[in-house]
Amino acid sequence: MSEESVVKRDVVQGSARGGAVLLVTVGILEVLQGLSAIAKDEVIVTGIDYTYQFDLTAWGWTHLVLGAIVTAAGIALFTGAAWARVTAMVICAVSILVNFLWLPYYPMWAITIIALNAVVICAVSTWHPDKDRVAQPNPPAR
């Protein structure tokens, strides 16, 4: 294996691990967002007329449950299992959709979560741990 391919593999592997860390971070942020909505925090706007308008408590529980699932997927992603990668991408897509619907209530927070989810999907989709395990180079002799 050439030195260039080893560097590429390490970069992709590092970005995937970073994606796992980001996924856990997104999950924690979703949980905090849910708790804030359940507590009817004054930061969240509730007086708007919006097509996808739900009760603030319902949104809070949605974000709380989604955050717990996202955090669990992020923790599972550290194992490098293929199912964890697929789960992470699917749950990030669901999180993007939910936060898009949440935009009128707390726009900057929702945009931040959407952007972080997009970075996670990009990082996880470019990582192929099976290829990394197959061709491990031998260290040079000293």
PDB file of all heavy atoms in Angstrom, residues 8-21 73-86 88-89 119-133 136:
ATOM      1  N   LYS A   8      -4.704   8.875   2.933  1.00  0.00           N
ATOM      2  CA  LYS A   8      -6.121   9.043   2.596  1.00  0.00           C
ATOM      3  C   LYS A   8      -6.999   8.223   3.541  1.00  0.00           C
ATOM      4  O   LYS A   8      -8.035   8.685   4.010  1.00  0.00           O
ATOM      5  CB  LYS A   8      -6.391   8.621   1.157  1.00  0.00           C
ATOM      6  CG  LYS A   8      -5.942   9.622   0.139  1.00  0.00           C
ATOM      7  CD  LYS A   8      -6.281   9.139  -1.255  1.00  0.00           C
ATOM      8  CE  LYS A   8      -5.760  10.096  -2.309  1.00  0.00           C
ATOM      9  NZ  LYS A   8      -6.051   9.592  -3.666  1.00  0.00           N
ATOM     10  N   ARG A   9      -6.578   6.979   3.810  1.00  0.00           N
ATOM     11  CA  ARG A   9      -7.345   6.118   4.698  1.00  0.00           C
ATOM     12  C   ARG A   9      -7.428   6.729   6.090  1.00  0.00           C
ATOM     13  O   ARG A   9      -8.483   6.748   6.713  1.00  0.00           O
ATOM     14  CB  ARG A   9      -6.710   4.732   4.775  1.00  0.00           C
ATOM     15  CG  ARG A   9      -7.535   3.783   5.642  1.00  0.00           C
ATOM     16  CD  ARG A   9      -6.774   2.557   6.073  1.00  0.00           C
ATOM     17  NE  ARG A   9      -5.783   2.950   7.063  1.00  0.00           N
ATOM     18  CZ  ARG A   9      -4.578   2.421   7.161  1.00  0.00           C
ATOM     19  NH1 ARG A   9      -4.183   1.487   6.351  1.00  0.00           N
ATOM     20  NH2 ARG A   9      -3.750   2.818   8.080  1.00  0.00           N
ATOM     21  N   ASP A  10      -6.309   7.248   6.577  1.00  0.00           N
ATOM     22  CA  ASP A  10      -6.295   7.843   7.910  1.00  0.00           C
ATOM     23  C   ASP A  10      -7.169   9.098   7.985  1.00  0.00           C
ATOM     24  O   ASP A  10      -7.837   9.330   8.981  1.00  0.00           O
ATOM     25  CB  ASP A  10      -4.864   8.165   8.331  1.00  0.00           C
ATOM     26  CG  ASP A  10      -4.044   6.909   8.606  1.00  0.00           C
ATOM     27  OD1 ASP A  10      -4.657   5.834   8.798  1.00  0.00           O
ATOM     28  OD2 ASP A  10      -2.796   7.006   8.615  1.00  0.00           O
ATOM     29  N   VAL A  11      -7.164   9.882   6.913  1.00  0.00           N
ATOM     30  CA  VAL A  11      -7.998  11.086   6.887  1.00  0.00           C
ATOM     31  C   VAL A  11      -9.471  10.707   6.905  1.00  0.00           C
ATOM     32  O   VAL A  11     -10.270  11.267   7.658  1.00  0.00           O
ATOM     33  CB  VAL A  11      -7.669  11.961   5.647  1.00  0.00           C
ATOM     34  CG1 VAL A  11      -8.714  13.037   5.453  1.00  0.00           C
ATOM     35  CG2 VAL A  11      -6.286  12.573   5.791  1.00  0.00           C
ATOM     36  N   VAL A  12      -9.851   9.736   6.080  1.00  0.00           N
ATOM     37  CA  VAL A  12     -11.255   9.301   6.031  1.00  0.00           C
ATOM     38  C   VAL A  12     -11.661   8.686   7.359  1.00  0.00           C
ATOM     39  O   VAL A  12     -12.750   8.938   7.874  1.00  0.00           O
ATOM     40  CB  VAL A  12     -11.478   8.318   4.860  1.00  0.00           C
ATOM     41  CG1 VAL A  12     -12.845   7.678   4.944  1.00  0.00           C
ATOM     42  CG2 VAL A  12     -11.310   9.038   3.544  1.00  0.00           C
ATOM     43  N   GLN A  13     -10.779   7.874   7.940  1.00  0.00           N
ATOM     44  CA  GLN A  13     -11.084   7.249   9.224  1.00  0.00           C
ATOM     45  C   GLN A  13     -11.226   8.316  10.312  1.00  0.00           C
ATOM     46  O   GLN A  13     -12.123   8.241  11.145  1.00  0.00           O
ATOM     47  CB  GLN A  13      -9.975   6.261   9.583  1.00  0.00           C
ATOM     48  CG  GLN A  13     -10.373   5.227  10.580  1.00  0.00           C
ATOM     49  CD  GLN A  13      -9.293   4.164  10.721  1.00  0.00           C
ATOM     50  OE1 GLN A  13      -8.132   4.382  10.381  1.00  0.00           O
ATOM     51  NE2 GLN A  13      -9.671   3.018  11.225  1.00  0.00           N
ATOM     52  N   GLY A  14     -10.361   9.321  10.276  1.00  0.00           N
ATOM     53  CA  GLY A  14     -10.452  10.414  11.245  1.00  0.00           C
ATOM     54  C   GLY A  14     -11.722  11.221  11.082  1.00  0.00           C
ATOM     55  O   GLY A  14     -12.357  11.612  12.066  1.00  0.00           O
ATOM     56  N   SER A  15     -12.128  11.459   9.828  1.00  0.00           N
ATOM     57  CA  SER A  15     -13.360  12.218   9.619  1.00  0.00           C
ATOM     58  C   SER A  15     -14.582  11.408  10.065  1.00  0.00           C
ATOM     59  O   SER A  15     -15.558  11.973  10.546  1.00  0.00           O
ATOM     60  CB  SER A  15     -13.500  12.648   8.162  1.00  0.00           C
ATOM     61  OG  SER A  15     -13.721  11.544   7.328  1.00  0.00           O
ATOM     62  N   ALA A  16     -14.532  10.091   9.917  1.00  0.00           N
ATOM     63  CA  ALA A  16     -15.640   9.258  10.379  1.00  0.00           C
ATOM     64  C   ALA A  16     -15.717   9.256  11.903  1.00  0.00           C
ATOM     65  O   ALA A  16     -16.802   9.303  12.481  1.00  0.00           O
ATOM     66  CB  ALA A  16     -15.492   7.846   9.850  1.00  0.00           C
ATOM     67  N   ARG A  17     -14.572   9.181  12.553  1.00  0.00           N
ATOM     68  CA  ARG A  17     -14.571   9.261  14.021  1.00  0.00           C
ATOM     69  C   ARG A  17     -15.071  10.635  14.459  1.00  0.00           C
ATOM     70  O   ARG A  17     -15.812  10.754  15.424  1.00  0.00           O
ATOM     71  CB  ARG A  17     -13.162   9.014  14.586  1.00  0.00           C
ATOM     72  CG  ARG A  17     -12.622   7.649  14.311  1.00  0.00           C
ATOM     73  CD  ARG A  17     -13.321   6.607  15.141  1.00  0.00           C
ATOM     74  NE  ARG A  17     -12.699   5.318  14.895  1.00  0.00           N
ATOM     75  CZ  ARG A  17     -13.346   4.201  14.801  1.00  0.00           C
ATOM     76  NH1 ARG A  17     -14.635   4.174  14.953  1.00  0.00           N
ATOM     77  NH2 ARG A  17     -12.723   3.075  14.570  1.00  0.00           N
ATOM     78  N   GLY A  18     -14.659  11.666  13.738  1.00  0.00           N
ATOM     79  CA  GLY A  18     -15.167  13.001  14.010  1.00  0.00           C
ATOM     80  C   GLY A  18     -16.667  13.074  13.797  1.00  0.00           C
ATOM     81  O   GLY A  18     -17.388  13.748  14.533  1.00  0.00           O
ATOM     82  N   GLY A  19     -17.150  12.363  12.773  1.00  0.00           N
ATOM     83  CA  GLY A  19     -18.589  12.293  12.527  1.00  0.00           C
ATOM     84  C   GLY A  19     -19.317  11.639  13.685  1.00  0.00           C
ATOM     85  O   GLY A  19     -20.424  12.055  14.049  1.00  0.00           O
ATOM     86  N   ALA A  20     -18.716  10.618  14.270  1.00  0.00           N
ATOM     87  CA  ALA A  20     -19.328   9.955  15.427  1.00  0.00           C
ATOM     88  C   ALA A  20     -19.398  10.914  16.616  1.00  0.00           C
ATOM     89  O   ALA A  20     -20.429  10.976  17.307  1.00  0.00           O
ATOM     90  CB  ALA A  20     -18.541   8.700  15.791  1.00  0.00           C
ATOM     91  N   VAL A  21     -18.331  11.669  16.817  1.00  0.00           N
ATOM     92  CA  VAL A  21     -18.329  12.657  17.900  1.00  0.00           C
ATOM     93  C   VAL A  21     -19.392  13.722  17.634  1.00  0.00           C
ATOM     94  O   VAL A  21     -20.139  14.112  18.540  1.00  0.00           O
ATOM     95  CB  VAL A  21     -16.927  13.295  18.051  1.00  0.00           C
ATOM     96  CG1 VAL A  21     -16.964  14.494  18.981  1.00  0.00           C
ATOM     97  CG2 VAL A  21     -15.919  12.268  18.535  1.00  0.00           C
ATOM     98  N   ALA A  73     -27.072   6.246  18.287  1.00  0.00           N
ATOM     99  CA  ALA A  73     -26.472   5.942  16.985  1.00  0.00           C
ATOM    100  C   ALA A  73     -25.027   6.435  16.930  1.00  0.00           C
ATOM    101  O   ALA A  73     -24.156   5.770  16.361  1.00  0.00           O
ATOM    102  CB  ALA A  73     -27.289   6.572  15.865  1.00  0.00           C
ATOM    103  N   GLY A  74     -24.760   7.588  17.521  1.00  0.00           N
ATOM    104  CA  GLY A  74     -23.393   8.109  17.564  1.00  0.00           C
ATOM    105  C   GLY A  74     -22.464   7.229  18.378  1.00  0.00           C
ATOM    106  O   GLY A  74     -21.323   6.978  17.989  1.00  0.00           O
ATOM    107  N   ILE A  75     -22.953   6.731  19.486  1.00  0.00           N
ATOM    108  CA  ILE A  75     -22.142   5.824  20.312  1.00  0.00           C
ATOM    109  C   ILE A  75     -21.891   4.522  19.568  1.00  0.00           C
ATOM    110  O   ILE A  75     -20.777   3.990  19.572  1.00  0.00           O
ATOM    111  CB  ILE A  75     -22.831   5.600  21.675  1.00  0.00           C
ATOM    112  CG1 ILE A  75     -22.797   6.894  22.496  1.00  0.00           C
ATOM    113  CG2 ILE A  75     -22.168   4.463  22.443  1.00  0.00           C
ATOM    114  CD1 ILE A  75     -23.666   6.880  23.734  1.00  0.00           C
ATOM    115  N   ALA A  76     -22.917   4.013  18.885  1.00  0.00           N
ATOM    116  CA  ALA A  76     -22.758   2.775  18.114  1.00  0.00           C
ATOM    117  C   ALA A  76     -21.819   2.981  16.930  1.00  0.00           C
ATOM    118  O   ALA A  76     -21.132   2.043  16.514  1.00  0.00           O
ATOM    119  CB  ALA A  76     -24.108   2.285  17.622  1.00  0.00           C
ATOM    120  N   LEU A  77     -21.751   4.180  16.406  1.00  0.00           N
ATOM    121  CA  LEU A  77     -20.893   4.463  15.260  1.00  0.00           C
ATOM    122  C   LEU A  77     -19.413   4.314  15.605  1.00  0.00           C
ATOM    123  O   LEU A  77     -18.594   4.023  14.733  1.00  0.00           O
ATOM    124  CB  LEU A  77     -21.176   5.875  14.740  1.00  0.00           C
ATOM    125  CG  LEU A  77     -20.585   6.258  13.405  1.00  0.00           C
ATOM    126  CD1 LEU A  77     -21.072   5.307  12.316  1.00  0.00           C
ATOM    127  CD2 LEU A  77     -20.953   7.684  13.056  1.00  0.00           C
ATOM    128  N   PHE A  78     -19.066   4.466  16.864  1.00  0.00           N
ATOM    129  CA  PHE A  78     -17.679   4.276  17.275  1.00  0.00           C
ATOM    130  C   PHE A  78     -17.200   2.841  17.051  1.00  0.00           C
ATOM    131  O   PHE A  78     -16.009   2.601  16.938  1.00  0.00           O
ATOM    132  CB  PHE A  78     -17.485   4.659  18.748  1.00  0.00           C
ATOM    133  CG  PHE A  78     -17.359   6.131  18.968  1.00  0.00           C
ATOM    134  CD1 PHE A  78     -18.366   6.831  19.591  1.00  0.00           C
ATOM    135  CD2 PHE A  78     -16.239   6.815  18.542  1.00  0.00           C
ATOM    136  CE1 PHE A  78     -18.259   8.190  19.801  1.00  0.00           C
ATOM    137  CE2 PHE A  78     -16.118   8.183  18.743  1.00  0.00           C
ATOM    138  CZ  PHE A  78     -17.130   8.866  19.377  1.00  0.00           C
ATOM    139  N   THR A  79     -18.118   1.881  16.969  1.00  0.00           N
ATOM    140  CA  THR A  79     -17.730   0.496  16.729  1.00  0.00           C
ATOM    141  C   THR A  79     -17.326   0.260  15.281  1.00  0.00           C
ATOM    142  O   THR A  79     -16.633  -0.705  14.984  1.00  0.00           O
ATOM    143  CB  THR A  79     -18.886  -0.471  17.061  1.00  0.00           C
ATOM    144  OG1 THR A  79     -19.973  -0.230  16.165  1.00  0.00           O
ATOM    145  CG2 THR A  79     -19.345  -0.306  18.500  1.00  0.00           C
ATOM    146  N   GLY A  80     -17.787   1.138  14.372  1.00  0.00           N
ATOM    147  CA  GLY A  80     -17.463   0.985  12.953  1.00  0.00           C
ATOM    148  C   GLY A  80     -18.334  -0.022  12.229  1.00  0.00           C
ATOM    149  O   GLY A  80     -18.062  -0.377  11.092  1.00  0.00           O
ATOM    150  N   ALA A  81     -19.392  -0.480  12.875  1.00  0.00           N
ATOM    151  CA  ALA A  81     -20.282  -1.464  12.255  1.00  0.00           C
ATOM    152  C   ALA A  81     -21.042  -0.831  11.090  1.00  0.00           C
ATOM    153  O   ALA A  81     -21.403   0.341  11.130  1.00  0.00           O
ATOM    154  CB  ALA A  81     -21.264  -1.988  13.296  1.00  0.00           C
ATOM    155  N   ALA A  82     -21.285  -1.640  10.058  1.00  0.00           N
ATOM    156  CA  ALA A  82     -21.994  -1.142   8.873  1.00  0.00           C
ATOM    157  C   ALA A  82     -23.411  -0.706   9.227  1.00  0.00           C
ATOM    158  O   ALA A  82     -23.897   0.307   8.724  1.00  0.00           O
ATOM    159  CB  ALA A  82     -22.016  -2.206   7.790  1.00  0.00           C
ATOM    160  N   TRP A  83     -24.089  -1.446  10.097  1.00  0.00           N
ATOM    161  CA  TRP A  83     -25.447  -1.072  10.483  1.00  0.00           C
ATOM    162  C   TRP A  83     -25.460   0.266  11.193  1.00  0.00           C
ATOM    163  O   TRP A  83     -26.414   1.033  11.062  1.00  0.00           O
ATOM    164  CB  TRP A  83     -26.105  -2.155  11.339  1.00  0.00           C
ATOM    165  CG  TRP A  83     -25.476  -2.332  12.684  1.00  0.00           C
ATOM    166  CD1 TRP A  83     -24.505  -3.217  13.020  1.00  0.00           C
ATOM    167  CD2 TRP A  83     -25.771  -1.597  13.875  1.00  0.00           C
ATOM    168  NE1 TRP A  83     -24.168  -3.079  14.349  1.00  0.00           N
ATOM    169  CE2 TRP A  83     -24.930  -2.087  14.888  1.00  0.00           C
ATOM    170  CE3 TRP A  83     -26.651  -0.566  14.185  1.00  0.00           C
ATOM    171  CZ2 TRP A  83     -24.941  -1.582  16.184  1.00  0.00           C
ATOM    172  CZ3 TRP A  83     -26.660  -0.070  15.480  1.00  0.00           C
ATOM    173  CH2 TRP A  83     -25.819  -0.587  16.459  1.00  0.00           C
ATOM    174  N   ALA A  84     -24.412   0.565  11.952  1.00  0.00           N
ATOM    175  CA  ALA A  84     -24.345   1.843  12.666  1.00  0.00           C
ATOM    176  C   ALA A  84     -24.171   3.000  11.680  1.00  0.00           C
ATOM    177  O   ALA A  84     -24.736   4.080  11.879  1.00  0.00           O
ATOM    178  CB  ALA A  84     -23.201   1.833  13.669  1.00  0.00           C
ATOM    179  N   ARG A  85     -23.410   2.763  10.609  1.00  0.00           N
ATOM    180  CA  ARG A  85     -23.232   3.803   9.592  1.00  0.00           C
ATOM    181  C   ARG A  85     -24.545   4.087   8.882  1.00  0.00           C
ATOM    182  O   ARG A  85     -24.916   5.245   8.687  1.00  0.00           O
ATOM    183  CB  ARG A  85     -22.165   3.368   8.582  1.00  0.00           C
ATOM    184  CG  ARG A  85     -20.776   3.345   9.185  1.00  0.00           C
ATOM    185  CD  ARG A  85     -19.716   2.820   8.234  1.00  0.00           C
ATOM    186  NE  ARG A  85     -19.829   3.388   6.909  1.00  0.00           N
ATOM    187  CZ  ARG A  85     -19.807   2.660   5.795  1.00  0.00           C
ATOM    188  NH1 ARG A  85     -19.685   1.347   5.861  1.00  0.00           N
ATOM    189  NH2 ARG A  85     -19.886   3.236   4.619  1.00  0.00           N
ATOM    190  N   VAL A  86     -25.253   3.041   8.505  1.00  0.00           N
ATOM    191  CA  VAL A  86     -26.543   3.215   7.819  1.00  0.00           C
ATOM    192  C   VAL A  86     -27.550   3.877   8.764  1.00  0.00           C
ATOM    193  O   VAL A  86     -28.263   4.809   8.377  1.00  0.00           O
ATOM    194  CB  VAL A  86     -27.069   1.853   7.312  1.00  0.00           C
ATOM    195  CG1 VAL A  86     -28.484   1.982   6.790  1.00  0.00           C
ATOM    196  CG2 VAL A  86     -26.143   1.293   6.248  1.00  0.00           C
ATOM    197  N   ALA A  88     -26.891   5.811  11.278  1.00  0.00           N
ATOM    198  CA  ALA A  88     -26.488   7.210  11.474  1.00  0.00           C
ATOM    199  C   ALA A  88     -26.960   8.084  10.317  1.00  0.00           C
ATOM    200  O   ALA A  88     -27.476   9.186  10.532  1.00  0.00           O
ATOM    201  CB  ALA A  88     -24.973   7.300  11.625  1.00  0.00           C
ATOM    202  N   MET A  89     -26.801   7.597   9.095  1.00  0.00           N
ATOM    203  CA  MET A  89     -27.234   8.394   7.942  1.00  0.00           C
ATOM    204  C   MET A  89     -28.754   8.563   7.919  1.00  0.00           C
ATOM    205  O   MET A  89     -29.256   9.655   7.647  1.00  0.00           O
ATOM    206  CB  MET A  89     -26.730   7.762   6.651  1.00  0.00           C
ATOM    207  CG  MET A  89     -25.236   7.933   6.465  1.00  0.00           C
ATOM    208  SD  MET A  89     -24.633   7.404   4.869  1.00  0.00           S
ATOM    209  CE  MET A  89     -24.508   5.651   5.119  1.00  0.00           C
ATOM    210  N   VAL A 119     -22.909  17.438   7.816  1.00  0.00           N
ATOM    211  CA  VAL A 119     -21.483  17.093   7.951  1.00  0.00           C
ATOM    212  C   VAL A 119     -21.333  15.633   8.388  1.00  0.00           C
ATOM    213  O   VAL A 119     -20.470  14.913   7.882  1.00  0.00           O
ATOM    214  CB  VAL A 119     -20.786  18.048   8.947  1.00  0.00           C
ATOM    215  CG1 VAL A 119     -19.396  17.568   9.304  1.00  0.00           C
ATOM    216  CG2 VAL A 119     -20.731  19.452   8.372  1.00  0.00           C
ATOM    217  N   VAL A 120     -22.167  15.189   9.302  1.00  0.00           N
ATOM    218  CA  VAL A 120     -22.110  13.792   9.760  1.00  0.00           C
ATOM    219  C   VAL A 120     -22.408  12.844   8.611  1.00  0.00           C
ATOM    220  O   VAL A 120     -21.697  11.850   8.412  1.00  0.00           O
ATOM    221  CB  VAL A 120     -23.079  13.553  10.949  1.00  0.00           C
ATOM    222  CG1 VAL A 120     -23.218  12.080  11.242  1.00  0.00           C
ATOM    223  CG2 VAL A 120     -22.593  14.293  12.173  1.00  0.00           C
ATOM    224  N   ILE A 121     -23.447  13.127   7.825  1.00  0.00           N
ATOM    225  CA  ILE A 121     -23.782  12.269   6.689  1.00  0.00           C
ATOM    226  C   ILE A 121     -22.615  12.204   5.712  1.00  0.00           C
ATOM    227  O   ILE A 121     -22.250  11.128   5.230  1.00  0.00           O
ATOM    228  CB  ILE A 121     -25.068  12.755   5.990  1.00  0.00           C
ATOM    229  CG1 ILE A 121     -26.278  12.483   6.886  1.00  0.00           C
ATOM    230  CG2 ILE A 121     -25.254  12.070   4.642  1.00  0.00           C
ATOM    231  CD1 ILE A 121     -27.570  13.097   6.379  1.00  0.00           C
ATOM    232  N   CYS A 122     -21.998  13.341   5.440  1.00  0.00           N
ATOM    233  CA  CYS A 122     -20.840  13.376   4.525  1.00  0.00           C
ATOM    234  C   CYS A 122     -19.682  12.552   5.073  1.00  0.00           C
ATOM    235  O   CYS A 122     -19.065  11.765   4.343  1.00  0.00           O
ATOM    236  CB  CYS A 122     -20.422  14.821   4.296  1.00  0.00           C
ATOM    237  SG  CYS A 122     -19.031  14.991   3.171  1.00  0.00           S
ATOM    238  N   ALA A 123     -19.383  12.716   6.355  1.00  0.00           N
ATOM    239  CA  ALA A 123     -18.257  11.994   6.955  1.00  0.00           C
ATOM    240  C   ALA A 123     -18.503  10.491   7.008  1.00  0.00           C
ATOM    241  O   ALA A 123     -17.616   9.696   6.696  1.00  0.00           O
ATOM    242  CB  ALA A 123     -17.989  12.528   8.366  1.00  0.00           C
ATOM    243  N   VAL A 124     -19.700  10.098   7.378  1.00  0.00           N
ATOM    244  CA  VAL A 124     -20.006   8.681   7.536  1.00  0.00           C
ATOM    245  C   VAL A 124     -20.108   7.984   6.184  1.00  0.00           C
ATOM    246  O   VAL A 124     -19.704   6.825   6.038  1.00  0.00           O
ATOM    247  CB  VAL A 124     -21.304   8.511   8.367  1.00  0.00           C
ATOM    248  CG1 VAL A 124     -21.772   7.079   8.369  1.00  0.00           C
ATOM    249  CG2 VAL A 124     -21.066   8.981   9.787  1.00  0.00           C
ATOM    250  N   SER A 125     -20.620   8.673   5.192  1.00  0.00           N
ATOM    251  CA  SER A 125     -20.799   8.027   3.886  1.00  0.00           C
ATOM    252  C   SER A 125     -19.485   7.811   3.137  1.00  0.00           C
ATOM    253  O   SER A 125     -19.420   6.973   2.250  1.00  0.00           O
ATOM    254  CB  SER A 125     -21.762   8.838   3.023  1.00  0.00           C
ATOM    255  OG  SER A 125     -21.198  10.091   2.720  1.00  0.00           O
ATOM    256  N   THR A 126     -18.435   8.521   3.496  1.00  0.00           N
ATOM    257  CA  THR A 126     -17.148   8.336   2.823  1.00  0.00           C
ATOM    258  C   THR A 126     -16.236   7.350   3.539  1.00  0.00           C
ATOM    259  O   THR A 126     -15.146   7.053   3.055  1.00  0.00           O
ATOM    260  CB  THR A 126     -16.399   9.676   2.700  1.00  0.00           C
ATOM    261  OG1 THR A 126     -16.209  10.222   4.005  1.00  0.00           O
ATOM    262  CG2 THR A 126     -17.172  10.649   1.839  1.00  0.00           C
ATOM    263  N   TRP A 127     -16.662   6.818   4.665  1.00  0.00           N
ATOM    264  CA  TRP A 127     -15.824   5.922   5.465  1.00  0.00           C
ATOM    265  C   TRP A 127     -16.168   4.483   5.139  1.00  0.00           C
ATOM    266  O   TRP A 127     -17.320   4.076   5.175  1.00  0.00           O
ATOM    267  CB  TRP A 127     -16.074   6.214   6.936  1.00  0.00           C
ATOM    268  CG  TRP A 127     -15.299   5.381   7.891  1.00  0.00           C
ATOM    269  CD1 TRP A 127     -14.040   4.912   7.755  1.00  0.00           C
ATOM    270  CD2 TRP A 127     -15.749   4.930   9.170  1.00  0.00           C
ATOM    271  NE1 TRP A 127     -13.667   4.209   8.871  1.00  0.00           N
ATOM    272  CE2 TRP A 127     -14.696   4.206   9.747  1.00  0.00           C
ATOM    273  CE3 TRP A 127     -16.927   5.076   9.871  1.00  0.00           C
ATOM    274  CZ2 TRP A 127     -14.793   3.632  11.009  1.00  0.00           C
ATOM    275  CZ3 TRP A 127     -17.020   4.506  11.121  1.00  0.00           C
ATOM    276  CH2 TRP A 127     -15.953   3.795  11.678  1.00  0.00           C
ATOM    277  N   HIS A 128     -15.160   3.685   4.826  1.00  0.00           N
ATOM    278  CA  HIS A 128     -15.329   2.262   4.524  1.00  0.00           C
ATOM    279  C   HIS A 128     -14.409   1.452   5.437  1.00  0.00           C
ATOM    280  O   HIS A 128     -13.285   1.126   5.064  1.00  0.00           O
ATOM    281  CB  HIS A 128     -15.012   1.974   3.062  1.00  0.00           C
ATOM    282  CG  HIS A 128     -15.862   2.761   2.119  1.00  0.00           C
ATOM    283  ND1 HIS A 128     -17.197   2.505   1.937  1.00  0.00           N
ATOM    284  CD2 HIS A 128     -15.569   3.812   1.328  1.00  0.00           C
ATOM    285  CE1 HIS A 128     -17.689   3.355   1.070  1.00  0.00           C
ATOM    286  NE2 HIS A 128     -16.727   4.169   0.683  1.00  0.00           N
ATOM    287  N   PRO A 129     -14.866   1.116   6.648  1.00  0.00           N
ATOM    288  CA  PRO A 129     -14.001   0.426   7.598  1.00  0.00           C
ATOM    289  C   PRO A 129     -13.580  -0.960   7.129  1.00  0.00           C
ATOM    290  O   PRO A 129     -12.526  -1.445   7.523  1.00  0.00           O
ATOM    291  CB  PRO A 129     -14.839   0.362   8.877  1.00  0.00           C
ATOM    292  CG  PRO A 129     -16.239   0.505   8.432  1.00  0.00           C
ATOM    293  CD  PRO A 129     -16.196   1.341   7.185  1.00  0.00           C
ATOM    294  N   ASP A 130     -14.372  -1.614   6.279  1.00  0.00           N
ATOM    295  CA  ASP A 130     -14.004  -2.942   5.791  1.00  0.00           C
ATOM    296  C   ASP A 130     -12.720  -2.877   4.968  1.00  0.00           C
ATOM    297  O   ASP A 130     -11.857  -3.742   5.078  1.00  0.00           O
ATOM    298  CB  ASP A 130     -15.135  -3.542   4.953  1.00  0.00           C
ATOM    299  CG  ASP A 130     -16.406  -3.709   5.774  1.00  0.00           C
ATOM    300  OD1 ASP A 130     -16.290  -3.872   7.000  1.00  0.00           O
ATOM    301  OD2 ASP A 130     -17.491  -3.654   5.180  1.00  0.00           O
ATOM    302  N   LYS A 131     -12.587  -1.868   4.138  1.00  0.00           N
ATOM    303  CA  LYS A 131     -11.378  -1.705   3.339  1.00  0.00           C
ATOM    304  C   LYS A 131     -10.183  -1.374   4.213  1.00  0.00           C
ATOM    305  O   LYS A 131      -9.066  -1.764   3.931  1.00  0.00           O
ATOM    306  CB  LYS A 131     -11.573  -0.594   2.303  1.00  0.00           C
ATOM    307  CG  LYS A 131     -12.527  -0.956   1.203  1.00  0.00           C
ATOM    308  CD  LYS A 131     -12.642   0.189   0.211  1.00  0.00           C
ATOM    309  CE  LYS A 131     -13.658  -0.134  -0.864  1.00  0.00           C
ATOM    310  NZ  LYS A 131     -13.826   0.989  -1.802  1.00  0.00           N
ATOM    311  N   ASP A 132     -10.419  -0.625   5.299  1.00  0.00           N
ATOM    312  CA  ASP A 132      -9.334  -0.268   6.198  1.00  0.00           C
ATOM    313  C   ASP A 132      -8.786  -1.477   6.938  1.00  0.00           C
ATOM    314  O   ASP A 132      -7.598  -1.578   7.192  1.00  0.00           O
ATOM    315  CB  ASP A 132      -9.798   0.768   7.230  1.00  0.00           C
ATOM    316  CG  ASP A 132     -10.164   2.087   6.579  1.00  0.00           C
ATOM    317  OD1 ASP A 132      -9.714   2.319   5.434  1.00  0.00           O
ATOM    318  OD2 ASP A 132     -10.889   2.870   7.207  1.00  0.00           O
ATOM    319  N   ARG A 133      -9.653  -2.420   7.293  1.00  0.00           N
ATOM    320  CA  ARG A 133      -9.223  -3.596   8.054  1.00  0.00           C
ATOM    321  C   ARG A 133      -8.483  -4.606   7.180  1.00  0.00           C
ATOM    322  O   ARG A 133      -7.641  -5.332   7.654  1.00  0.00           O
ATOM    323  CB  ARG A 133     -10.434  -4.276   8.685  1.00  0.00           C
ATOM    324  CG  ARG A 133     -11.034  -3.487   9.795  1.00  0.00           C
ATOM    325  CD  ARG A 133     -12.112  -4.287  10.509  1.00  0.00           C
ATOM    326  NE  ARG A 133     -12.857  -3.395  11.383  1.00  0.00           N
ATOM    327  CZ  ARG A 133     -14.153  -3.217  11.332  1.00  0.00           C
ATOM    328  NH1 ARG A 133     -14.886  -3.885  10.477  1.00  0.00           N
ATOM    329  NH2 ARG A 133     -14.762  -2.383  12.147  1.00  0.00           N
ATOM    330  N   GLN A 136      -3.922  -3.597   6.097  1.00  0.00           N
ATOM    331  CA  GLN A 136      -3.140  -2.874   7.078  1.00  0.00           C
ATOM    332  C   GLN A 136      -1.659  -3.031   6.721  1.00  0.00           C
ATOM    333  O   GLN A 136      -1.144  -4.141   6.655  1.00  0.00           O
ATOM    334  CB  GLN A 136      -3.381  -3.415   8.487  1.00  0.00           C
ATOM    335  CG  GLN A 136      -4.762  -3.164   9.030  1.00  0.00           C
ATOM    336  CD  GLN A 136      -4.999  -1.695   9.339  1.00  0.00           C
ATOM    337  OE1 GLN A 136      -4.072  -0.954   9.622  1.00  0.00           O
ATOM    338  NE2 GLN A 136      -6.253  -1.287   9.263  1.00  0.00           N
TER     339      GLN A 136
END
